[in-house]
Amino acid sequence: MSIKMESELRDQFMAVAAGRHRPAAQIIRDLMRLYIAESAVPNALTAETIRKSDQNEDVFHASSAQDLFKKLGI
């Protein structure tokens, strides 16, 4: 896999990886696994929200759509 990125971003990433004594490739693999896990349908948060909703538990209270999106981190 080839990835195009700004040289400054690459340099910063490589410096952090070296500072933590971890190979950059391992960090990328870990990030890819995390991204895949969070993209599962439904992800853990969605599954928990559905469970709470089905049991008539409070999930979110929002005063507007914008407020709801903020609480959901969207």
Side-chain angles (χ1 to χ4, degrees):
M1 175 185 300
S2 296
I3 301 171
K4 292 184 181 184
M5 69 182 78
E6 300 86 1
S7 59
E8 182 179 330
L9 176 62
R10 181 194 179 281
D11 293 345
Q12 289 175 341
F13 177 74
M14 296 301 288
V16 171
R20 295 186 179 193
H21 306 288
R22 295 206 48 220
Q26 181 61 50
I27 296 170
I28 296 296
R29 285 191 295 270
D30 291 345
L31 290 170
M32 291 171 77
R33 288 183 186 104
L34 180 61
Y35 184 80
I36 291 166
E38 288 181 353
S39 297
V41 179
N43 63 29
L45 177 59
T46 301
E48 179 66 9
T49 301
I50 291 169
R51 184 195 65 75
K52 285 182 177 181
S53 179
D54 288 346
Q55 294 178 354
N56 294 321
E57 292 181 35
D58 289 337
V59 180
F60 288 102
H61 293 281
S63 59
S64 66
Q66 183 177 0
D67 184 36
L68 178 61
F69 293 154
K70 182 179 177 182
K71 290 180 180 187
L72 293 173
I74 299 174

Short mmCIF file of all heavy atoms in Angstrom, two decimals:
data_model
loop_
_atom_site.label_atom_id
_atom_site.label_comp_id
_atom_site.label_asym_id
_atom_site.label_seq_id
_atom_site.Cartn_x
_atom_site.Cartn_y
_atom_site.Cartn_z
N MET A 1 0.86 -1.16 0.00
CA MET A 1 0.00 0.00 0.00
C MET A 1 0.90 1.22 0.00
O MET A 1 1.83 1.32 0.80
CB MET A 1 -0.89 0.00 1.24
CG MET A 1 -1.73 1.24 1.36
SD MET A 1 -2.70 1.36 2.88
CE MET A 1 -3.73 -0.06 2.79
N SER A 2 0.61 2.15 -0.88
CA SER A 2 1.32 3.42 -0.91
C SER A 2 0.36 4.51 -0.46
O SER A 2 -0.81 4.51 -0.84
CB SER A 2 1.81 3.74 -2.31
OG SER A 2 2.76 2.79 -2.73
N ILE A 3 0.86 5.42 0.35
CA ILE A 3 0.03 6.48 0.87
C ILE A 3 0.71 7.82 0.59
O ILE A 3 1.89 7.99 0.91
CB ILE A 3 -0.18 6.33 2.39
CG1 ILE A 3 -0.83 4.99 2.71
CG2 ILE A 3 -1.00 7.48 2.93
CD1 ILE A 3 -0.88 4.67 4.18
N LYS A 4 -0.03 8.72 -0.01
CA LYS A 4 0.49 10.06 -0.24
C LYS A 4 0.11 10.93 0.96
O LYS A 4 -1.03 10.89 1.43
CB LYS A 4 -0.10 10.67 -1.51
CG LYS A 4 0.37 9.98 -2.76
CD LYS A 4 -0.17 10.69 -3.99
CE LYS A 4 0.29 9.97 -5.24
NZ LYS A 4 -0.13 10.67 -6.45
N MET A 5 1.10 11.67 1.47
CA MET A 5 0.84 12.57 2.59
C MET A 5 1.88 13.67 2.58
O MET A 5 2.92 13.55 1.93
CB MET A 5 0.86 11.82 3.92
CG MET A 5 2.23 11.32 4.33
SD MET A 5 2.22 10.39 5.86
CE MET A 5 1.60 8.83 5.25
N GLU A 6 1.58 14.70 3.34
CA GLU A 6 2.51 15.80 3.46
C GLU A 6 3.76 15.32 4.20
O GLU A 6 3.68 14.54 5.14
CB GLU A 6 1.89 16.96 4.24
CG GLU A 6 0.63 17.52 3.61
CD GLU A 6 -0.62 16.76 4.05
OE1 GLU A 6 -0.54 15.81 4.85
OE2 GLU A 6 -1.70 17.11 3.55
N SER A 7 4.91 15.81 3.77
CA SER A 7 6.16 15.38 4.40
C SER A 7 6.20 15.77 5.88
O SER A 7 6.74 15.03 6.71
CB SER A 7 7.36 15.95 3.66
OG SER A 7 7.32 17.36 3.64
N GLU A 8 5.60 16.91 6.23
CA GLU A 8 5.58 17.33 7.63
C GLU A 8 4.78 16.34 8.48
O GLU A 8 5.20 15.98 9.59
CB GLU A 8 4.98 18.73 7.76
CG GLU A 8 4.98 19.25 9.18
CD GLU A 8 4.41 20.66 9.29
OE1 GLU A 8 4.52 21.44 8.34
OE2 GLU A 8 3.83 20.95 10.35
N LEU A 9 3.64 15.89 7.96
CA LEU A 9 2.83 14.91 8.69
C LEU A 9 3.60 13.61 8.87
O LEU A 9 3.62 13.04 9.96
CB LEU A 9 1.51 14.65 7.94
CG LEU A 9 0.59 13.59 8.53
CD1 LEU A 9 0.14 13.98 9.93
CD2 LEU A 9 -0.60 13.39 7.62
N ARG A 10 4.24 13.15 7.80
CA ARG A 10 5.04 11.93 7.88
C ARG A 10 6.15 12.07 8.91
O ARG A 10 6.36 11.18 9.74
CB ARG A 10 5.64 11.59 6.52
CG ARG A 10 6.46 10.32 6.53
CD ARG A 10 7.32 10.19 5.26
NE ARG A 10 8.10 8.97 5.29
CZ ARG A 10 9.23 8.82 6.00
NH1 ARG A 10 9.69 9.79 6.76
NH2 ARG A 10 9.89 7.68 5.97
N ASP A 11 6.87 13.17 8.87
CA ASP A 11 7.98 13.38 9.79
C ASP A 11 7.50 13.40 11.25
O ASP A 11 8.14 12.82 12.12
CB ASP A 11 8.72 14.67 9.45
CG ASP A 11 9.44 14.61 8.11
OD1 ASP A 11 9.61 13.50 7.57
OD2 ASP A 11 9.81 15.69 7.60
N GLN A 12 6.38 14.07 11.49
CA GLN A 12 5.83 14.12 12.85
C GLN A 12 5.43 12.72 13.32
O GLN A 12 5.70 12.33 14.46
CB GLN A 12 4.64 15.06 12.92
CG GLN A 12 5.01 16.52 12.78
CD GLN A 12 3.78 17.42 12.72
OE1 GLN A 12 2.68 16.97 12.43
NE2 GLN A 12 3.98 18.70 12.99
N PHE A 13 4.77 11.98 12.44
CA PHE A 13 4.34 10.62 12.77
C PHE A 13 5.54 9.73 13.08
O PHE A 13 5.56 9.01 14.08
CB PHE A 13 3.51 10.04 11.63
CG PHE A 13 3.09 8.62 11.87
CD1 PHE A 13 2.08 8.32 12.78
CD2 PHE A 13 3.70 7.56 11.20
CE1 PHE A 13 1.68 7.01 13.00
CE2 PHE A 13 3.32 6.26 11.43
CZ PHE A 13 2.31 5.98 12.33
N MET A 14 6.55 9.78 12.22
CA MET A 14 7.73 8.95 12.41
C MET A 14 8.45 9.31 13.72
O MET A 14 8.94 8.42 14.42
CB MET A 14 8.68 9.09 11.22
CG MET A 14 8.08 8.58 9.91
SD MET A 14 7.62 6.84 9.95
CE MET A 14 9.23 6.07 9.96
N ALA A 15 8.48 10.60 14.07
CA ALA A 15 9.12 11.03 15.30
C ALA A 15 8.38 10.49 16.52
O ALA A 15 9.01 10.01 17.48
CB ALA A 15 9.21 12.55 15.35
N VAL A 16 7.05 10.54 16.49
CA VAL A 16 6.26 10.02 17.61
C VAL A 16 6.45 8.50 17.71
O VAL A 16 6.64 7.96 18.81
CB VAL A 16 4.77 10.39 17.47
CG1 VAL A 16 3.93 9.66 18.50
CG2 VAL A 16 4.59 11.90 17.61
N ALA A 17 6.41 7.81 16.58
CA ALA A 17 6.60 6.36 16.58
C ALA A 17 7.97 6.00 17.16
O ALA A 17 8.08 5.10 18.01
CB ALA A 17 6.45 5.81 15.17
N ALA A 18 9.00 6.70 16.73
CA ALA A 18 10.35 6.43 17.24
C ALA A 18 10.44 6.73 18.73
O ALA A 18 11.06 5.97 19.49
CB ALA A 18 11.37 7.25 16.46
N GLY A 19 9.79 7.81 19.15
CA GLY A 19 9.80 8.17 20.56
C GLY A 19 9.13 7.14 21.44
O GLY A 19 9.45 7.02 22.63
N ARG A 20 8.22 6.40 20.86
CA ARG A 20 7.52 5.36 21.63
C ARG A 20 8.10 3.98 21.37
O ARG A 20 7.54 2.97 21.82
CB ARG A 20 6.03 5.38 21.29
CG ARG A 20 5.39 6.68 21.75
CD ARG A 20 3.93 6.67 21.57
NE ARG A 20 3.40 7.95 22.06
CZ ARG A 20 2.14 8.19 22.28
NH1 ARG A 20 1.25 7.26 22.05
NH2 ARG A 20 1.75 9.35 22.72
N HIS A 21 9.17 3.93 20.60
CA HIS A 21 9.87 2.68 20.28
C HIS A 21 8.94 1.65 19.64
O HIS A 21 8.94 0.48 20.00
CB HIS A 21 10.53 2.10 21.54
CG HIS A 21 11.43 3.06 22.23
ND1 HIS A 21 12.65 3.44 21.73
CD2 HIS A 21 11.26 3.77 23.37
CE1 HIS A 21 13.20 4.32 22.53
NE2 HIS A 21 12.37 4.54 23.55
N ARG A 22 8.11 2.15 18.70
CA ARG A 22 7.18 1.27 18.00
C ARG A 22 7.38 1.45 16.50
O ARG A 22 7.49 2.58 16.02
CB ARG A 22 5.73 1.61 18.34
CG ARG A 22 5.44 1.34 19.81
CD ARG A 22 4.02 1.06 20.15
NE ARG A 22 3.38 0.09 19.33
CZ ARG A 22 2.11 0.19 18.91
NH1 ARG A 22 1.39 1.23 19.25
NH2 ARG A 22 1.58 -0.73 18.17
N PRO A 23 7.38 0.38 15.75
CA PRO A 23 7.49 0.51 14.30
C PRO A 23 6.27 1.24 13.74
O PRO A 23 5.13 0.96 14.14
CB PRO A 23 7.53 -0.94 13.81
CG PRO A 23 7.85 -1.77 15.01
CD PRO A 23 7.34 -1.01 16.20
N ALA A 24 6.51 2.15 12.83
CA ALA A 24 5.43 2.92 12.22
C ALA A 24 4.40 1.98 11.57
O ALA A 24 3.19 2.22 11.66
CB ALA A 24 5.98 3.91 11.20
N ALA A 25 4.88 0.92 10.93
CA ALA A 25 3.96 -0.01 10.26
C ALA A 25 3.01 -0.66 11.26
O ALA A 25 1.83 -0.89 10.95
CB ALA A 25 4.75 -1.08 9.50
N GLN A 26 3.49 -0.98 12.46
CA GLN A 26 2.63 -1.59 13.47
C GLN A 26 1.56 -0.61 13.92
O GLN A 26 0.40 -0.98 14.11
CB GLN A 26 3.45 -2.05 14.68
CG GLN A 26 2.62 -2.71 15.75
CD GLN A 26 1.92 -3.97 15.26
OE1 GLN A 26 2.57 -4.82 14.67
NE2 GLN A 26 0.63 -4.08 15.47
N ILE A 27 1.92 0.66 14.07
CA ILE A 27 0.94 1.67 14.47
C ILE A 27 -0.13 1.81 13.39
O ILE A 27 -1.32 1.88 13.70
CB ILE A 27 1.63 3.02 14.73
CG1 ILE A 27 2.58 2.89 15.93
CG2 ILE A 27 0.60 4.11 14.98
CD1 ILE A 27 3.49 4.07 16.13
N ILE A 28 0.28 1.82 12.13
CA ILE A 28 -0.68 1.91 11.02
C ILE A 28 -1.62 0.72 11.03
O ILE A 28 -2.84 0.86 10.89
CB ILE A 28 0.04 2.03 9.66
CG1 ILE A 28 0.85 3.33 9.58
CG2 ILE A 28 -0.94 1.91 8.51
CD1 ILE A 28 0.01 4.58 9.62
N ARG A 29 -1.08 -0.48 11.24
CA ARG A 29 -1.94 -1.68 11.30
C ARG A 29 -2.93 -1.57 12.45
O ARG A 29 -4.11 -1.90 12.30
CB ARG A 29 -1.09 -2.95 11.43
CG ARG A 29 -0.40 -3.35 10.14
CD ARG A 29 0.22 -4.74 10.25
NE ARG A 29 1.29 -4.78 11.22
CZ ARG A 29 2.57 -4.54 10.95
NH1 ARG A 29 2.95 -4.22 9.73
NH2 ARG A 29 3.49 -4.64 11.91
N ASP A 30 -2.46 -1.11 13.62
CA ASP A 30 -3.35 -0.93 14.77
C ASP A 30 -4.46 0.08 14.46
O ASP A 30 -5.62 -0.14 14.81
CB ASP A 30 -2.57 -0.49 16.00
CG ASP A 30 -1.65 -1.56 16.55
OD1 ASP A 30 -1.81 -2.74 16.16
OD2 ASP A 30 -0.77 -1.21 17.36
N LEU A 31 -4.09 1.18 13.82
CA LEU A 31 -5.09 2.19 13.45
C LEU A 31 -6.10 1.63 12.45
O LEU A 31 -7.30 1.92 12.54
CB LEU A 31 -4.41 3.43 12.87
CG LEU A 31 -3.62 4.27 13.88
CD1 LEU A 31 -2.79 5.33 13.15
CD2 LEU A 31 -4.56 4.93 14.88
N MET A 32 -5.63 0.82 11.52
CA MET A 32 -6.54 0.21 10.54
C MET A 32 -7.51 -0.75 11.23
O MET A 32 -8.71 -0.74 10.93
CB MET A 32 -5.74 -0.52 9.45
CG MET A 32 -4.97 0.44 8.55
SD MET A 32 -3.83 -0.40 7.44
CE MET A 32 -4.98 -0.99 6.21
N ARG A 33 -7.01 -1.54 12.16
CA ARG A 33 -7.88 -2.46 12.91
C ARG A 33 -8.93 -1.69 13.71
O ARG A 33 -10.10 -2.08 13.76
CB ARG A 33 -7.06 -3.35 13.83
CG ARG A 33 -6.27 -4.40 13.09
CD ARG A 33 -5.50 -5.32 14.06
NE ARG A 33 -4.66 -6.23 13.32
CZ ARG A 33 -3.34 -6.09 13.20
NH1 ARG A 33 -2.71 -5.11 13.81
NH2 ARG A 33 -2.64 -6.96 12.49
N LEU A 34 -8.50 -0.61 14.35
CA LEU A 34 -9.42 0.22 15.12
C LEU A 34 -10.48 0.83 14.22
O LEU A 34 -11.67 0.81 14.54
CB LEU A 34 -8.65 1.32 15.84
CG LEU A 34 -9.46 2.29 16.69
CD1 LEU A 34 -10.18 1.54 17.81
CD2 LEU A 34 -8.56 3.37 17.26
N TYR A 35 -10.08 1.33 13.07
CA TYR A 35 -11.02 1.93 12.11
C TYR A 35 -12.04 0.89 11.64
O TYR A 35 -13.24 1.16 11.59
CB TYR A 35 -10.25 2.50 10.92
CG TYR A 35 -11.12 3.23 9.94
CD1 TYR A 35 -11.54 4.53 10.19
CD2 TYR A 35 -11.54 2.61 8.76
CE1 TYR A 35 -12.34 5.20 9.28
CE2 TYR A 35 -12.34 3.27 7.86
CZ TYR A 35 -12.73 4.57 8.12
OH TYR A 35 -13.54 5.23 7.24
N ILE A 36 -11.59 -0.32 11.36
CA ILE A 36 -12.48 -1.39 10.93
C ILE A 36 -13.45 -1.75 12.04
O ILE A 36 -14.65 -1.88 11.82
CB ILE A 36 -11.67 -2.63 10.48
CG1 ILE A 36 -10.93 -2.32 9.17
CG2 ILE A 36 -12.57 -3.85 10.33
CD1 ILE A 36 -9.86 -3.32 8.82
N ALA A 37 -12.95 -1.89 13.26
CA ALA A 37 -13.80 -2.25 14.40
C ALA A 37 -14.86 -1.19 14.65
O ALA A 37 -16.01 -1.50 14.94
CB ALA A 37 -12.96 -2.46 15.65
N GLU A 38 -14.47 0.08 14.54
CA GLU A 38 -15.43 1.16 14.78
C GLU A 38 -16.43 1.30 13.64
O GLU A 38 -17.48 1.91 13.82
CB GLU A 38 -14.68 2.48 14.99
CG GLU A 38 -13.97 2.53 16.33
CD GLU A 38 -13.25 3.83 16.56
OE1 GLU A 38 -13.19 4.68 15.65
OE2 GLU A 38 -12.73 4.01 17.67
N SER A 39 -16.11 0.73 12.49
CA SER A 39 -17.01 0.83 11.34
C SER A 39 -17.97 -0.35 11.25
O SER A 39 -18.82 -0.37 10.36
CB SER A 39 -16.18 0.91 10.05
OG SER A 39 -15.39 2.07 10.05
N ALA A 40 -17.83 -1.31 12.15
CA ALA A 40 -18.72 -2.48 12.12
C ALA A 40 -20.16 -2.02 12.32
O ALA A 40 -20.44 -1.07 13.03
CB ALA A 40 -18.33 -3.46 13.22
N VAL A 41 -21.07 -2.70 11.66
CA VAL A 41 -22.49 -2.31 11.75
C VAL A 41 -23.22 -3.40 12.51
O VAL A 41 -23.25 -4.54 12.07
CB VAL A 41 -23.10 -2.15 10.35
CG1 VAL A 41 -24.55 -1.78 10.43
CG2 VAL A 41 -22.32 -1.08 9.58
N PRO A 42 -23.85 -3.12 13.61
CA PRO A 42 -23.71 -1.89 14.36
C PRO A 42 -22.46 -1.94 15.22
O PRO A 42 -22.06 -3.00 15.68
CB PRO A 42 -24.96 -1.85 15.24
CG PRO A 42 -25.28 -3.28 15.48
CD PRO A 42 -24.85 -4.01 14.22
N ASN A 43 -21.85 -0.79 15.42
CA ASN A 43 -20.69 -0.75 16.31
C ASN A 43 -21.18 -0.88 17.75
O ASN A 43 -22.38 -0.90 18.01
CB ASN A 43 -19.84 0.51 16.09
CG ASN A 43 -20.59 1.78 16.40
OD1 ASN A 43 -21.49 1.82 17.23
ND2 ASN A 43 -20.22 2.85 15.73
N ALA A 44 -20.26 -0.95 18.68
CA ALA A 44 -20.63 -1.19 20.09
C ALA A 44 -21.53 -0.09 20.63
O ALA A 44 -22.50 -0.38 21.35
CB ALA A 44 -19.36 -1.33 20.93
N LEU A 45 -21.24 1.15 20.30
CA LEU A 45 -22.07 2.25 20.80
C LEU A 45 -23.48 2.17 20.22
O LEU A 45 -24.46 2.34 20.95
CB LEU A 45 -21.43 3.60 20.45
CG LEU A 45 -22.24 4.84 20.85
CD1 LEU A 45 -22.49 4.87 22.36
CD2 LEU A 45 -21.54 6.10 20.39
N THR A 46 -23.59 1.86 18.95
CA THR A 46 -24.90 1.74 18.33
C THR A 46 -25.68 0.59 18.95
O THR A 46 -26.87 0.72 19.25
CB THR A 46 -24.77 1.54 16.81
OG1 THR A 46 -24.06 2.65 16.25
CG2 THR A 46 -26.12 1.41 16.14
N ALA A 47 -25.02 -0.54 19.14
CA ALA A 47 -25.69 -1.71 19.74
C ALA A 47 -26.18 -1.38 21.15
O ALA A 47 -27.31 -1.74 21.51
CB ALA A 47 -24.73 -2.90 19.77
N GLU A 48 -25.37 -0.69 21.94
CA GLU A 48 -25.77 -0.32 23.29
C GLU A 48 -26.94 0.66 23.27
O GLU A 48 -27.87 0.56 24.06
CB GLU A 48 -24.59 0.28 24.05
CG GLU A 48 -24.91 0.72 25.46
CD GLU A 48 -25.26 -0.42 26.40
OE1 GLU A 48 -25.10 -1.61 26.04
OE2 GLU A 48 -25.71 -0.13 27.52
N THR A 49 -26.91 1.60 22.35
CA THR A 49 -27.99 2.58 22.22
C THR A 49 -29.29 1.89 21.84
O THR A 49 -30.36 2.19 22.39
CB THR A 49 -27.63 3.65 21.18
OG1 THR A 49 -26.42 4.30 21.61
CG2 THR A 49 -28.72 4.69 21.03
N ILE A 50 -29.23 0.94 20.91
CA ILE A 50 -30.42 0.19 20.51
C ILE A 50 -30.97 -0.60 21.69
O ILE A 50 -32.18 -0.63 21.94
CB ILE A 50 -30.10 -0.74 19.31
CG1 ILE A 50 -29.83 0.10 18.06
CG2 ILE A 50 -31.22 -1.74 19.07
CD1 ILE A 50 -29.26 -0.69 16.89
N ARG A 51 -30.07 -1.25 22.44
CA ARG A 51 -30.50 -2.03 23.61
C ARG A 51 -31.21 -1.13 24.62
O ARG A 51 -32.29 -1.45 25.11
CB ARG A 51 -29.30 -2.71 24.28
CG ARG A 51 -29.70 -3.61 25.46
CD ARG A 51 -28.52 -3.99 26.33
NE ARG A 51 -27.93 -2.85 27.02
CZ ARG A 51 -28.46 -2.22 28.08
NH1 ARG A 51 -29.63 -2.61 28.56
NH2 ARG A 51 -27.84 -1.21 28.65
N LYS A 52 -30.62 0.02 24.92
CA LYS A 52 -31.22 0.94 25.88
C LYS A 52 -32.57 1.44 25.38
O LYS A 52 -33.53 1.54 26.15
CB LYS A 52 -30.30 2.13 26.14
CG LYS A 52 -29.12 1.80 27.02
CD LYS A 52 -28.28 3.04 27.25
CE LYS A 52 -27.13 2.77 28.20
NZ LYS A 52 -26.34 3.99 28.43
N SER A 53 -32.65 1.75 24.11
CA SER A 53 -33.89 2.25 23.53
C SER A 53 -34.98 1.18 23.61
O SER A 53 -36.13 1.47 23.96
CB SER A 53 -33.66 2.66 22.08
OG SER A 53 -34.86 3.11 21.50
N ASP A 54 -34.62 -0.07 23.31
CA ASP A 54 -35.58 -1.16 23.38
C ASP A 54 -36.09 -1.39 24.80
O ASP A 54 -37.20 -1.85 24.99
CB ASP A 54 -34.96 -2.46 22.85
CG ASP A 54 -34.77 -2.46 21.34
OD1 ASP A 54 -35.36 -1.59 20.66
OD2 ASP A 54 -34.02 -3.32 20.83
N GLN A 55 -35.28 -1.05 25.79
CA GLN A 55 -35.67 -1.22 27.19
C GLN A 55 -36.22 0.08 27.78
O GLN A 55 -36.36 0.20 29.00
CB GLN A 55 -34.48 -1.72 28.01
CG GLN A 55 -34.05 -3.10 27.61
CD GLN A 55 -32.83 -3.58 28.39
OE1 GLN A 55 -32.23 -2.85 29.17
NE2 GLN A 55 -32.47 -4.83 28.17
N ASN A 56 -36.53 1.03 26.91
CA ASN A 56 -37.09 2.33 27.31
C ASN A 56 -36.19 3.09 28.29
O ASN A 56 -36.67 3.83 29.13
CB ASN A 56 -38.49 2.17 27.89
CG ASN A 56 -39.47 1.71 26.84
OD1 ASN A 56 -39.41 2.15 25.70
ND2 ASN A 56 -40.35 0.81 27.21
N GLU A 57 -34.89 2.89 28.18
CA GLU A 57 -33.94 3.66 28.99
C GLU A 57 -33.62 4.95 28.25
O GLU A 57 -33.62 5.00 27.02
CB GLU A 57 -32.65 2.87 29.20
CG GLU A 57 -32.81 1.64 30.06
CD GLU A 57 -31.49 0.91 30.25
OE1 GLU A 57 -30.44 1.58 30.33
OE2 GLU A 57 -31.52 -0.33 30.31
N ASP A 58 -33.30 5.99 29.01
CA ASP A 58 -32.89 7.24 28.39
C ASP A 58 -31.57 7.03 27.67
O ASP A 58 -30.65 6.40 28.19
CB ASP A 58 -32.72 8.34 29.43
CG ASP A 58 -34.05 8.82 29.99
OD1 ASP A 58 -35.08 8.63 29.31
OD2 ASP A 58 -34.06 9.37 31.10
N VAL A 59 -31.49 7.57 26.48
CA VAL A 59 -30.28 7.45 25.69
C VAL A 59 -29.61 8.82 25.59
O VAL A 59 -28.52 9.03 26.07
CB VAL A 59 -30.57 6.86 24.30
CG1 VAL A 59 -29.30 6.75 23.48
CG2 VAL A 59 -31.23 5.49 24.42
N PHE A 60 -30.29 9.75 24.94
CA PHE A 60 -29.78 11.11 24.80
C PHE A 60 -30.93 12.09 24.97
O PHE A 60 -32.04 11.80 24.54
CB PHE A 60 -29.16 11.34 23.41
CG PHE A 60 -27.85 10.66 23.21
CD1 PHE A 60 -27.79 9.49 22.47
CD2 PHE A 60 -26.68 11.17 23.73
CE1 PHE A 60 -26.58 8.85 22.26
CE2 PHE A 60 -25.47 10.53 23.54
CZ PHE A 60 -25.42 9.37 22.80
N HIS A 61 -30.63 13.19 25.56
CA HIS A 61 -31.58 14.29 25.61
C HIS A 61 -30.91 15.45 24.91
O HIS A 61 -29.79 15.81 25.24
CB HIS A 61 -31.92 14.69 27.06
CG HIS A 61 -32.67 13.62 27.79
ND1 HIS A 61 -34.02 13.42 27.60
CD2 HIS A 61 -32.27 12.69 28.68
CE1 HIS A 61 -34.42 12.42 28.37
NE2 HIS A 61 -33.36 11.96 29.03
N ALA A 62 -31.59 16.01 23.93
CA ALA A 62 -31.00 17.11 23.17
C ALA A 62 -32.07 18.16 22.92
O ALA A 62 -33.25 17.84 22.73
CB ALA A 62 -30.44 16.61 21.86
N SER A 63 -31.63 19.40 22.93
CA SER A 63 -32.56 20.50 22.71
C SER A 63 -32.76 20.81 21.23
O SER A 63 -33.73 21.47 20.86
CB SER A 63 -32.06 21.76 23.42
OG SER A 63 -30.78 22.13 22.93
N SER A 64 -31.87 20.30 20.39
CA SER A 64 -31.96 20.53 18.95
C SER A 64 -31.13 19.47 18.24
O SER A 64 -30.38 18.73 18.87
CB SER A 64 -31.43 21.92 18.59
OG SER A 64 -30.04 21.98 18.87
N ALA A 65 -31.27 19.42 16.92
CA ALA A 65 -30.46 18.49 16.13
C ALA A 65 -28.98 18.80 16.32
O ALA A 65 -28.15 17.90 16.47
CB ALA A 65 -30.85 18.55 14.67
N GLN A 66 -28.64 20.08 16.33
CA GLN A 66 -27.25 20.49 16.51
C GLN A 66 -26.72 20.02 17.86
O GLN A 66 -25.61 19.50 17.96
CB GLN A 66 -27.11 22.00 16.38
CG GLN A 66 -25.68 22.48 16.48
CD GLN A 66 -25.56 23.98 16.28
OE1 GLN A 66 -26.53 24.66 16.07
NE2 GLN A 66 -24.34 24.48 16.33
N ASP A 67 -27.52 20.13 18.90
CA ASP A 67 -27.14 19.67 20.23
C ASP A 67 -26.95 18.16 20.24
O ASP A 67 -25.98 17.64 20.82
CB ASP A 67 -28.20 20.09 21.25
CG ASP A 67 -27.84 19.73 22.67
OD1 ASP A 67 -26.65 19.80 23.02
OD2 ASP A 67 -28.77 19.41 23.45
N LEU A 68 -27.84 17.44 19.58
CA LEU A 68 -27.71 15.98 19.49
C LEU A 68 -26.45 15.58 18.77
O LEU A 68 -25.70 14.71 19.23
CB LEU A 68 -28.92 15.37 18.78
CG LEU A 68 -28.91 13.86 18.57
CD1 LEU A 68 -28.84 13.14 19.91
CD2 LEU A 68 -30.09 13.42 17.76
N PHE A 69 -26.17 16.23 17.64
CA PHE A 69 -24.95 15.91 16.89
C PHE A 69 -23.70 16.17 17.74
O PHE A 69 -22.76 15.38 17.72
CB PHE A 69 -24.87 16.73 15.60
CG PHE A 69 -25.94 16.38 14.59
CD1 PHE A 69 -26.36 17.31 13.66
CD2 PHE A 69 -26.52 15.12 14.55
CE1 PHE A 69 -27.34 17.01 12.73
CE2 PHE A 69 -27.51 14.81 13.63
CZ PHE A 69 -27.91 15.75 12.72
N LYS A 70 -23.73 17.24 18.51
CA LYS A 70 -22.60 17.56 19.39
C LYS A 70 -22.42 16.46 20.43
O LYS A 70 -21.31 16.00 20.68
CB LYS A 70 -22.83 18.90 20.06
CG LYS A 70 -21.69 19.34 20.96
CD LYS A 70 -21.97 20.69 21.56
CE LYS A 70 -20.85 21.10 22.51
NZ LYS A 70 -21.15 22.39 23.15
N LYS A 71 -23.51 16.01 21.04
CA LYS A 71 -23.44 14.95 22.04
C LYS A 71 -22.97 13.62 21.44
O LYS A 71 -22.33 12.83 22.13
CB LYS A 71 -24.78 14.78 22.73
CG LYS A 71 -25.13 15.95 23.63
CD LYS A 71 -26.47 15.75 24.30
CE LYS A 71 -26.76 16.96 25.20
NZ LYS A 71 -27.95 16.77 25.99
N LEU A 72 -23.30 13.40 20.19
CA LEU A 72 -22.88 12.17 19.51
C LEU A 72 -21.49 12.28 18.91
O LEU A 72 -20.95 11.30 18.41
CB LEU A 72 -23.89 11.81 18.40
CG LEU A 72 -25.27 11.41 18.89
CD1 LEU A 72 -26.22 11.25 17.71
CD2 LEU A 72 -25.22 10.13 19.70
N GLY A 73 -20.92 13.46 18.94
CA GLY A 73 -19.59 13.65 18.38
C GLY A 73 -19.58 13.67 16.87
O GLY A 73 -18.60 13.29 16.23
N ILE A 74 -20.67 14.12 16.29
CA ILE A 74 -20.77 14.16 14.82
C ILE A 74 -20.49 15.56 14.35
O ILE A 74 -21.03 16.52 14.82
CB ILE A 74 -22.17 13.71 14.35
CG1 ILE A 74 -22.41 12.28 14.79
CG2 ILE A 74 -22.30 13.85 12.85
CD1 ILE A 74 -23.81 11.78 14.51
#
